[in-house]
Structure formats: structure tokens, C-alpha cells
Amino acid sequence: MSLRMWGATLWLGVSAVFTVPAQAATAVLLNNVVALPYGQSQLPPERLKPGQTYQQLKQVDNFDTTGGDDFKPWAGDVELGLVLSSGNTESTAIRANAELLHEMKDFRNKYLIQTLLQRNSQFDDETNTKTRYTTGQRINLVGQSNYKFYRSEHSIFGRAAYLNDRFGAFHEQASVAAGYAKRLYEEGDSYWDFETGPGFAHQETSDGQRSTGIIWFVATNLDYAFSETNSFRQALEWSVSLDGKNSSWQSRSVLTSQVSGQLSMRLSFVMKYDSSPGEFRQKTDTETSATLVYSF
């Protein structure tokens, strides 16, 4: 056999030896390939739980979208205060408030209801009769909804408020506002929110004067948990008139301490200021209260 024919035979043998295993390996790989639908991946998706914020998402490694067993879409508290006096002076004062929070995947809704009813009795020596009269009657309603941007601390909000105070400087105050909101801080049960935006306000003074105008609304809410049983809440709201009418601001400071289970004691201090309350009316009103609270 010539040298050329021997080399050709060797080359064909080597090629046959390496070609068969390569083709077999390729067949095995092709059989193990798993086809995924377009746009899907085996990597865990970084999605928020219902009601979860971006800060909470960054603190966990498990991107479970079920919400967990501890997640509660509804939370809030109901507080009740009652004062009864009898004897020479008879009076009744009832205060009932409710604050609810509804957390969803894309929305955070808040509802606030505040009521006050106070009645006194006065005895007339000349006629020997007792007369009962109302000295306080107020209801305040607030509803707000925030649309939370995906994986963000930012949101947009819409807010409506209505106050009816029979013996206040303003018999009625109503407003609507919308704008930008941001959760500045959140850790556990503690958080700090900021909100601002334009709106409209309507009000009627105690002497019947009505006005409607454009306002700029600013609010900040801090809820800080000192421990599992004690918390502090500070809410500030400004409603600035842009057309020279009444501007107002309100501060609400609340200290809550758990007594047993879901029952707590609450101390509240509220201060409200109106720039144009009307003739013979004070610009500043304050209110201090102690109430029993049921939280859920």
C-alpha cells in the first residue's frame, strides 16, 4: 500500500470514531431541551405582595406573591370615649372615631370617621324644671385612595373630606384634592407619608357666609411604633387658599398604649387653625381626649 493510500485510510477511520459519539451527544442534548413560552423565564419574578411596598420587597429574598399568612388587607381601630355627669350638673359627652386602612396590590385606601355629641342639663329654680340642650355636635368624614406605582415608593392620590360642626366657627367645610404622594420611610409597622396637590374647598361660616375656591393641599403622616404595645401618630394637614379665602391647618397627635389583647388606651391632642373664622370667633381650637380603642 502506498503512503498516500495509507494516510487516506487512517483519516477515514479517525473521522468515523469521533463522528459517531458527537452525533450521539448532540441527540441527547436535543432531547433534553425544554421549550419555554415566549416572554417567560425560570427566574423568580420580583413582584410586590398585595399591599407591599418597594422597601419591604428589598428587605426579603423570597418573592412569594401569595401575601403570606400574616398579611391582613384590612386594618384599623375603633375608639370610644364617654363622659357622664350627674347630680347638680348633668352632662353627657360621647366621642366615637373609626380609622380604617385597606391595602391592595395597586391601591391603598384610607377612611376616617370622627363624631362628637355633647348634651348638658340646666335646672331652673324659678320654674322648677330641667332643660336639656346640645352643646356639641360634630361629624368629620375623610376618604382617600392612593394608586401605588409598581416597585416604587411613589403614588398618586385622590382625597375627599367633609366636616359638619353645629357649634363651630364653620358649620360646613368640604374639600377635594388630588396629587403626588410618597412613602418617605417604612420599617415594620412604622411609616412616614407625604402628600401634596391642588384641590377645591367649600365652606359655610356660622353666620351663613359661603365661599368656594382653589386650594393647595399638603399633608404628612407619621406612625411610629416604640414597641409592640406602644405607638405614636402625628398627622399634619395644610389647606392653603390660593384666592385669598380661609386657609387652615390641623395637627393631630395620638399616643396609644395596649392594655390587653386588642384593647388599648389612647391620648389625643388636636389643634385646628382657621385664618378667617368670622367675626367674634377664635382662630384656634384645641381638643384633648382619652379614649378606649379596639384594634384589628
Side-chain angles (χ1 to χ4, degrees):
M1 179 182 295
S2 65
L3 181 61
R4 179 177 297 179
M5 293 180 62
W6 183 84
T9 302
L10 180 61
W11 180 83
L12 290 174
V14 173
S15 299
V17 171
F18 284 96
T19 301
V20 173
Q23 291 177 348
T26 303
V28 172
L29 292 175
L30 291 175
N31 291 332
N32 292 333
V33 171
V34 178
L36 294 177
Y38 178 75
Q40 293 189 6
S41 172
Q42 292 179 324
L43 297 177
E46 296 185 3
R47 294 178 55 191
L48 295 176
K49 297 178 182 179
Q52 189 183 34
T53 62
Y54 184 41
Q55 293 95 327
Q56 294 172 331
L57 178 62
K58 292 186 293 186
Q59 295 173 359
V60 298
D61 297 325
N62 180 20
F63 300 112
D64 178 21
T65 60
T66 61
D69 296 334
D70 297 333
F71 175 73
K72 298 187 298 181
W74 284 94
D77 52 55
V78 178
E79 59 180 285
L80 178 65
L82 179 64
V83 178
L84 299 176
S85 300
S86 60
N88 295 322
T89 301
E90 295 185 2
S91 64
T92 303
I94 301 175
R95 180 191 314 278
N97 301 333
E99 191 165 357
L100 307 177
L101 178 64
H102 186 199
E103 286 279 6
M104 296 183 290
K105 177 181 178 182
D106 298 319
F107 290 90
R108 177 187 300 117
N109 301 323
K110 296 188 295 184
Y111 310 95
L112 177 64
I113 304 174
Q114 296 176 317
T115 63
L116 172 66
L117 178 62
Q118 182 173 344
R119 303 194 68 185
N120 292 358
S121 297
Q122 184 175 12
F123 185 79
D124 191 340
D125 294 332
E126 296 181 358
T127 60
N128 198 28
T129 59
K130 184 187 298 184
T131 304
R132 294 182 62 86
Y133 55 95
T134 302
T135 58
Q137 183 176 322
R138 180 172 69 246
I139 180 170
N140 183 33
L141 305 174
V142 179
Q144 179 172 324
S145 180
N146 287 51
Y147 175 75
K148 302 178 289 186
F149 295 126
Y150 179 70
R151 293 195 62 187
S152 174
E153 303 91 345
H154 308 274
S155 63
I156 56 176
F157 77 94
R159 179 184 187 272
Y162 174 76
L163 171 66
N164 186 297
D165 191 350
R166 180 179 173 185
F167 298 94
F170 291 89
H171 283 176
E172 285 188 340
Q173 285 184 309
S175 65
V176 292
Y180 164 78
K182 183 178 181 180
R183 177 146 289 188
L184 302 174
Y185 166 81
E186 181 171 20
E187 183 176 352
D189 294 331
S190 303
Y191 64 87
W192 182 18
D193 290 340
F194 173 79
E195 303 157 355
T196 184
F200 290 91
H202 171 78
Q203 50 199 10
E204 179 182 352
T205 62
S206 57
D207 54 6
Q209 296 183 5
R210 299 183 178 182
S211 62
T212 302
I214 303 175
I215 63 170
W216 191 270
F217 176 79
V218 180
T220 180
N221 300 279
L222 172 65
D223 203 323
Y224 185 77
F226 295 107
S227 63
E228 294 183 357
T229 58
N230 298 282
S231 64
F232 174 74
R233 180 178 302 167
Q234 177 64 58
L236 294 172
E237 297 179 2
W238 292 270
S239 180
V240 182
S241 175
L242 300 182
D243 48 11
K245 297 181 173 63
N246 180 69
S247 296
S248 63
W249 65 266
Q250 177 175 288
S251 171
R252 181 169 174 250
S253 305
V254 178
L255 181 62
T256 305
S257 181
Q258 183 180 0
V259 177
S260 175
Q262 295 174 294
L263 294 179
S264 304
M265 289 296 298
R266 173 169 293 174
L267 295 176
S268 303
F269 178 73
V270 179
M271 178 181 294
K272 186 173 184 291
Y273 173 85
D274 289 286
S275 62
S276 303
E279 192 175 5
F280 307 115
R281 290 285 184 172
Q282 297 288 333
K283 293 185 177 182
T284 304
D285 293 323
T286 62
E287 182 179 286
T288 305
S289 62
T291 55
L292 184 65
V293 180
Y294 175 81
S295 302
F296 57 92

